Amino acid sequence: MQYPAPIAKLIHSFTKLPGIGSKTAARLAFYILEMNEADVLEFAQNLINARRDLTHCQICGNITDTDPCLICSDTSRDRTTILVVEDSRDVMSMERMQEYNGLYHVLGGVLSPMEGTGPEDLNITQLIQRLEDETVQEVILATNATSEGEATAMYLSRLIKPAGIKVTRLAHGLSVGSDIEYADEMTLYRAIEGRREL
Amino acid sequence: MQYPAPIAKLIHSFTKLPGIGSKTAARLAFYILEMNEADVLEFAQNLINARRDLTHCQICGNITDTDPCLICSDTSRDRTTILVVEDSRDVMSMERMQEYNGLYHVLGGVLSPMEGTGPEDLNITQLIQRLEDETVQEVILATNATSEGEATAMYLSRLIKPAGIKVTRLAHGLSVGSDIEYADEMTLYRAIEGRREL
């Protein structure tokens, strides 16, 4: 005996999401059956709305429901600095810090020869165009501290530096609140390398 | 800055699902934005259909899109045995085994004083009614091997036995393929207690 068709289809839809295997998908699908019908309708509507109403900002590539996005069109922000991140979630993380007041640029990924992602697959042409007008004085490369993130930062740095713009990279070192005992070698090495005088 | 409204709403919907916190919800919601639009529409439709078209079988309480369900209406199945489980997923697990040919009864939960679930919240009245017609000769209690599952099995056993029906419980012991070294004390105790002569 198989699952009844409607639940089998729902389980199949859930398994298409990242990190959700068939057991979790079944658990979620059965949970949906017991949910308030209004909540389920709202969930379905939210799925459709999010997919349909959100686009990428034409300027920075961030996810937005207005174009240009709220950050790009906010005149109170510092237009001399662009912080380059891998994806829109990174923008949200930076904004949560409430310390950075410049602009962003979302690459939409990282260079990854393994996955066949080259420079042409990322939002790089648009970044270079933004640098042509002479307002921007600094580009902060905030790709992840992974090997792909590092490689992408190196690539962008070589591309941007010749234009005479200051290019910086986020500091690497110990996480705040972490124990040296549990830090990996690379992190420790970066922490020593980047040590600062007190 | 907050997430744009459509994505914030979608994240909120995802967090209502069990085991999905705000970080996972954000990851899933952003994944939806990059998905094929047809797949998203299908996902939304599957949510609605599953919630709307599936009901509980009037006889056994299993999730079904036909009433009575396919198992209850299958005349080739052995009507003398009813296997009692906590929920519909357990029925699917049993069916996957392809060894059991009797009927099922889905309780829709277990007795849990902690969560305020009493006998009246479970599908027990219907089970007793099914036992009144004299076809049923054995009731197999297949609630989980948790303390609530055990308590529910004891409760049902006391309720059913006086009617002269054979009541059995699934065997407890070592999982097939497991190491004694890693088995907990209760499992080992049950494995010794339930030992069989070779």
Side-chain angles (χ1 to χ4, degrees):
Chain A
M1 191 215 163
Q2 297 291 308
Y3 287 111
I7 189 118
K9 284 184 188 168
L10 181 57
I11 292 174
H12 182 69
S13 283
F14 270 119
T15 54
K16 289 187 181 173
L17 299 177
I20 296 193
S22 60
K23 293 232 164 175
T24 308
R27 193 162 54 93
L28 295 177
F30 275 97
Y31 186 83
I32 293 288
L33 303 184
E34 308 298 333
M35 264 171 84
N36 184 326
E37 186 158 359
D39 282 348
V40 176
L41 287 175
E42 194 190 312
F43 185 10
Q45 198 57 54
N46 288 343
L47 277 170
I48 296 171
N49 290 351
R51 180 63 186 77
R52 198 169 46 194
D53 300 346
L54 290 173
T55 50
H56 293 279
C57 170
Q58 283 195 345
I59 299 173
C60 72
N62 192 10
I63 285 285
T64 177
D65 52 349
T66 58
D67 195 6
C69 73
L70 294 176
I71 297 178
C72 286
S73 51
D74 182 347
T75 52
S76 75
R77 297 191 75 119
D78 171 16
R79 303 193 159 263
T80 64
T81 314
I82 292 182
L83 191 144
V84 179
V85 293
E86 292 182 18
D87 67 35
S88 295
R89 274 171 294 167
D90 299 332
V91 173
M92 305 301 166
S93 301
M94 290 288 170
E95 286 298 285
R96 236 175 280 135
M97 177 180 62
Q98 294 184 321
E99 283 292 335
Y100 176 74
N101 193 38
L103 301 177
Y104 291 94
H105 194 84
V106 178
L107 294 175
V110 272
L111 296 178
S112 169
M114 293 282 286
E115 292 179 15
T117 315
E120 66 286 357
D121 300 313
L122 302 180
N123 190 16
I124 291 178
T125 320
Q126 176 62 19
L127 174 62
I128 303 303
Q129 273 175 26
R130 291 178 75 185
L131 302 181
E132 276 166 12
D133 109 51
E134 307 207 332
T135 328
V136 182
Q137 288 161 19
E138 181 176 354
V139 171
I140 306 174
L141 298 174
T143 49
N144 291 335
T146 58
S147 53
E148 286 95 346
E150 292 294 340
T152 309
M154 287 308 297
Y155 176 87
L156 290 175
S157 163
R158 267 182 232 150
L159 209 63
I160 300 168
K161 263 188 174 167
I165 296 167
K166 185 176 169 189
V167 179
T168 55
R169 178 97 176 97
L170 291 189
H172 292 312
L174 296 169
S175 303
V176 175
S178 69
D179 278 11
I180 288 181
E181 182 180 353
Y182 301 120
D184 61 288
E185 292 84 354
M186 272 313 289
T187 301
L188 274 182
Y189 174 73
R190 293 301 199 92
I192 291 204
E193 194 187 41
R195 68 192 180 278
R196 295 167 61 180
E197 207 171 308
L198 293 179
Chain B
M1 190 218 162
Q2 298 290 308
Y3 287 110
I7 190 123
K9 285 184 185 167
L10 181 56
I11 292 174
H12 182 69
S13 282
F14 270 119
T15 55
K16 289 187 180 171
L17 299 178
I20 294 192
S22 60
K23 293 233 164 174
T24 308
R27 194 161 53 92
L28 295 177
F30 275 98
Y31 186 84
I32 294 288
L33 303 184
E34 308 299 332
M35 262 171 84
N36 184 327
E37 186 158 359
D39 282 348
V40 176
L41 287 175
E42 193 190 312
F43 186 8
Q45 198 56 56
N46 288 343
L47 277 171
I48 297 170
N49 290 352
R51 179 65 185 77
R52 200 169 44 195
D53 299 346
L54 290 173
T55 50
H56 293 279
C57 170
Q58 284 195 344
I59 299 174
C60 72
N62 192 11
I63 285 286
T64 176
D65 53 350
T66 58
D67 196 6
C69 72
L70 293 176
I71 297 178
C72 286
S73 51
D74 181 347
T75 52
S76 75
R77 296 191 75 117
D78 170 15
R79 305 195 155 259
T80 63
T81 313
I82 292 182
L83 191 145
V84 179
V85 292
E86 292 183 18
D87 66 35
S88 294
R89 275 171 293 166
D90 300 331
V91 173
M92 304 301 165
S93 302
M94 290 288 170
E95 286 296 287
R96 235 174 281 134
M97 176 180 62
Q98 294 184 322
E99 283 291 335
Y100 176 73
N101 194 39
L103 301 177
Y104 292 94
H105 194 84
V106 178
L107 294 174
V110 271
L111 296 177
S112 168
M114 294 280 286
E115 292 180 16
T117 315
E120 65 285 359
D121 300 311
L122 303 179
N123 190 17
I124 292 177
T125 320
Q126 176 63 19
L127 174 62
I128 303 304
Q129 273 176 24
R130 291 178 74 185
L131 302 180
E132 276 166 10
D133 110 50
E134 307 208 332
T135 329
V136 182
Q137 288 163 19
E138 180 176 355
V139 171
I140 306 174
L141 299 173
T143 49
N144 291 335
T146 57
S147 54
E148 287 95 345
E150 293 294 340
T152 309
M154 286 308 296
Y155 176 86
L156 289 175
S157 163
R158 268 182 233 149
L159 208 66
I160 299 167
K161 263 189 174 167
I165 295 167
K166 185 176 171 188
V167 179
T168 55
R169 178 97 177 99
L170 292 188
H172 292 312
L174 297 169
S175 303
V176 175
S178 68
D179 278 11
I180 288 181
E181 182 180 353
Y182 300 120
D184 61 286
E185 293 82 355
M186 273 313 289
T187 301
L188 274 182
Y189 174 72
R190 294 302 199 91
I192 291 203
E193 193 188 41
R195 66 191 182 278
R196 296 166 62 180
E197 205 172 311
L198 293 179

